[in-house]
Amino acid sequence: MNTATMPRTFSYTTLDKEVRRMPTFDAQAFAAQMSGDVLAPGDMGYEDARQVWNATVDRHPALIARCLSERDVQTAIRFAASHRMSLSVRGGGHHIAGNAVADGGLMMDLSGLRDIRIDPVARIAHVGAGALLGDFDRAAQAHGLATPLGINSTTGVAGLTLGGGFGWLTRRHGMTVDNLLGATMVTADGQLRTVSAESEPELFWALRGGGGNFGVVTSFQFRLHPVGPQVYAGLVVYPFSQAVRVLRAWRDFCATAPDELSVWAVMRKAPPLPFLPASVHGSEVVIFPLLHCGDVEAGERAAAPVLAFGEPIAAALGAQPYSAFQTAFDPLLAPGGRNYWKSNNFSRLDDVAIAELVNAAGRLPGPECEIFVAQLGGAMSRVEPAATPFVGRDVRFIMNVHGRWSDPRDDERVRAWARGTFEAAAPHATASGYVNFFTEDEAERVSASYGANYARLQALKQRYDPTNLFRMNLNIAPHGALRAVAMPREPMP
Ligand SMILES: Cc1cc2nc3c(=O)[nH]c(=O)nc-3n(C[C@H](O)[C@H](O)[C@H](O)COP(=O)(O)OP(=O)(O)OC[C@H]3O[C@@H](n4cnc5c(N)ncnc54)[C@H](O)[C@@H]3O)c2cc1C
């Protein structure tokens, strides 16, 4: 921290959003205890460090603490708590709401905690909390192993895991949280804790979907599964004129598809993919991306019906490395775009819901906007809803309306389309939602998303973070429900 240019005091935002002043000496003393850098506005690297994936997030922390060790995490938490300073935690910086960046507060940047160690015999991964999905996939695939993660390789393992986590392996191996074996974390009192089914099991339960509400995780341990390295995967593209017919066929196919196969549906304007005729580029299409995580030939057989939902424009299917498919969508989801999402969960997709989605896709407000519907079910649905905070075990499809654009003058137009699409689909959706997809204006959806698990989460929040130090998240507010709420022993998934 370059304090030579700083005045004797600087202003910061408290947990209660008051603006106070702090002696610069206090920040210097804090920085002196850290092994990683502490950045203030004007410092080299500060501007880059405050950026996150969603370019609509433009916040200025008073300080950015680059944590390089568990001890740094403890020091930063104690510093923030002692000043009641607004505190945020950045893993991969992908959450759409931008909660990784505390405006005027202390932003803890964990991207330096990126170590990954794979134990191929025990099939366990030890993963630093700053690791990205691509780091994890590459390390595990070197041994032909993987655990369910998301579809974009620059997403952070930490945020994805803490909110639930799903991807191409979820129907076969469950949610990311179903494969979490343990974690090391620092709670609001600054204590370093090892949590697992045996050690602090209630805190371990809360981590498996409760978001960043209970402390700062420094490392995770995951169960791994043999996957690939070659899998059967790719895309099938249909003309938009067949949308209703092919989406109904897809919906019916999903009901009986094997767990190894996941087929998602995306409606968007066709990107200039080399296997698509140039005449299609830029016009609306229905795309079915799919992956079969078992034997390649079995995958080809299982996925064959996807080619017969209608008359496809083109398909690019075949054997390819699992790790390659895990980066296939990165170019469409690069950081730096303006983004606004609205998301619904569905236990079933009836014809009316499909008609609403097709109607909205006919009015896409830009070439980067899309409606995607992920297929869930399979292994993730065979876990008891109370086994983890992620309660939506009845969810068969998660829809995400991706509003994505680059000109700030389009902000309201694209957001209005995303909200309208969400509202049209909402009567057909479940009460739950997926906290990892919520925007900053959806705090009121949090309690419904945890359903019957919310009271237990609130009681644990009261126990481990009674002052709500960790509130820059999809917040579970603590309340004095500790004695009123029974604490069931959690069944393991
Ligand atoms: C392009 C893109 C693709 C995506 N695809 C998928 C997908 O396929 N499947 C899926 O399930 N989700 C997906 N997501 C959603 C993703 O799971 C969430 O955005 C998730 O929060 C990202 O984690 P992060 O660490 O990158 O985010 P960050 O913004 O860094 O963190 C999000 C929040 O998590 C908490 N947090 C982060 N690190 C820690 C930590 N170490 N300890 C305690 N709390 C912490 C904090 O509250 C923080 O505000 C996608 C998101 C994007 C942008």
Side-chain angles (χ1 to χ4, degrees):
M1 191 168 69
N2 181 5
T3 48
T5 55
M6 286 179 80
R8 283 157 56 103
T9 64
F10 67 95
S11 60
Y12 71 99
T13 308
T14 68
L15 287 171
D16 305 311
K17 295 197 165 67
E18 292 166 8
V19 178
R20 287 202 195 145
R21 294 198 74 80
M22 184 188 302
T24 300
F25 176 79
D26 285 6
Q28 285 170 318
F30 163 52
Q33 291 174 57
M34 295 282 295
S35 55
D37 291 338
V38 176
L39 305 176
D43 284 348
M44 199 189 301
Y46 173 89
E47 282 303 315
D48 280 347
R50 73 179 185 86
Q51 308 298 330
V52 288
W53 181 80
N54 183 3
T56 65
V57 178
D58 182 20
R59 299 181 190 154
H60 295 79
L63 298 171
I64 300 175
R66 293 189 141 154
C67 299
L68 297 181
S69 65
E70 290 166 344
R71 197 183 166 86
D72 279 358
V73 172
Q74 289 178 290
T75 303
I77 288 175
R78 286 183 180 133
F79 175 74
S82 67
H83 290 276
R84 287 192 55 74
M85 191 174 190
S86 169
L87 176 68
S88 68
V89 184
R90 185 196 199 278
H94 263 219
H95 201 290
I96 186 85
N99 284 324
V101 198
D103 216 7
L106 175 66
M107 172 178 173
M108 295 173 60
D109 177 0
L110 303 189
S111 55
L113 292 172
R114 228 157 141 166
D115 282 355
I116 298 181
R117 187 166 57 80
I118 305 292
D119 180 340
V121 179
R123 291 187 180 159
I124 293 175
H126 303 263
V127 182
L132 305 182
L133 305 194
D135 303 330
F136 186 0
D137 274 332
R138 273 190 299 276
Q141 276 291 280
H143 304 277
L145 299 169
T147 210
L149 297 171
I151 61 153
N152 177 237
S153 74
T154 58
T155 304
V157 172
L160 176 122
T161 301
L162 295 171
F166 69 88
W168 298 113
L169 304 183
T170 292
R171 288 172 39 73
R172 175 67 183 87
H173 296 297
M175 304 287 292
T176 308
V177 283
D178 300 333
N179 293 279
L180 186 63
L181 297 172
T184 306
M185 66 185 293
V186 181
T187 39
D189 54 7
Q191 201 179 318
L192 184 68
R193 300 171 192 257
T194 303
V195 303
S196 67
E198 291 76 37
S199 164
E200 310 225 35
E202 285 165 8
L203 203 44
F204 179 54
W205 178 84
L207 277 194
R208 285 177 291 161
N213 275 286
F214 298 93
V216 179
V217 175
T218 55
S219 67
F220 298 92
Q221 292 85 52
F222 294 98
R223 183 186 302 122
L224 296 168
H225 310 272
V227 173
Q230 293 283 305
V231 293
Y232 188 79
L235 310 175
V236 183
V237 183
Y238 283 95
F240 194 66
S241 57
Q242 296 177 24
V244 168
R245 175 179 153 205
V246 297
L247 287 169
R248 286 182 184 177
W250 164 71
R251 182 255 335 260
D252 295 344
F253 173 75
C254 286
T256 56
D259 289 355
E260 288 79 6
L261 180 64
S262 296
V263 186
W264 296 12
V266 183
M267 284 181 280
R268 60 169 294 139
K269 292 178 192 286
L273 297 170
F275 71 95
L276 286 176
S279 58
V280 177
H281 297 173
S283 58
E284 288 84 358
V285 286
V286 183
I287 305 174
F288 293 105
L290 64 88
L291 183 140
H292 184 282
C293 64
D295 173 74
V296 168
E297 282 174 14
E300 185 170 5
R301 281 193 300 277
V306 181
L307 290 160
F309 290 164
E311 291 82 42
I313 300 169
L317 291 170
Q320 59 174 292
Y322 171 73
S323 55
F325 201 64
Q326 282 290 81
T327 61
F329 303 99
D330 288 2
L332 296 176
L333 296 167
R338 301 178 77 76
N339 292 274
Y340 183 80
W341 292 357
K342 290 296 279 187
S343 169
N344 274 319
N345 292 348
F346 300 92
S347 55
R348 55 193 288 272
L349 266 180
D350 60 30
D351 288 352
V352 186
I354 286 176
E356 295 287 9
L357 299 188
V358 172
N359 181 31
R363 294 179 285 104
L364 291 167
E368 295 184 272
C369 296
E370 64 184 20
I371 300 172
F372 95 68
V373 189
Q375 181 197 3
L376 297 186
M380 63 76 70
S381 65
R382 295 190 282 272
V383 176
E384 283 299 312
T388 68
F390 179 87
V391 76
R393 302 296 176 167
D394 59 334
V395 174
R396 294 295 172 272
F397 303 97
I398 295 188
M399 174 193 75
N400 203 352
V401 183
H402 280 177
R404 187 172 160 88
W405 68 104
S406 51
D407 187 338
R409 287 173 300 184
D410 289 330
D411 283 8
E412 274 323 301
R413 192 173 62 86
V414 181
R415 285 182 175 137
W417 169 78
R419 287 192 197 109
T421 305
F422 164 80
E423 278 156 21
H428 312 280
T430 67
S432 69
Y434 182 41
V435 292
N436 271 348
F437 287 166
F438 285 175
T439 49
E440 72 278 13
D441 50 9
E442 296 192 301
E444 82 290 348
R445 295 184 70 192
V446 172
S447 59
S449 292
Y450 290 116
N453 288 335
Y454 191 64
R456 185 176 175 190
L457 285 165
Q458 275 199 303
L460 289 167
K461 179 76 173 173
Q462 174 70 26
R463 180 182 299 175
Y464 290 103
D465 184 18
T467 66
N468 206 5
L469 178 66
F470 305 115
R471 65 179 72 178
M472 286 280 310
N473 45 43
L474 277 306
N475 197 231
I476 296 165
H479 75 63
L482 193 56
R483 274 176 295 280
V485 175
M487 294 290 202
R489 271 191 68 79
E490 67 271 14
M492 285 298 293

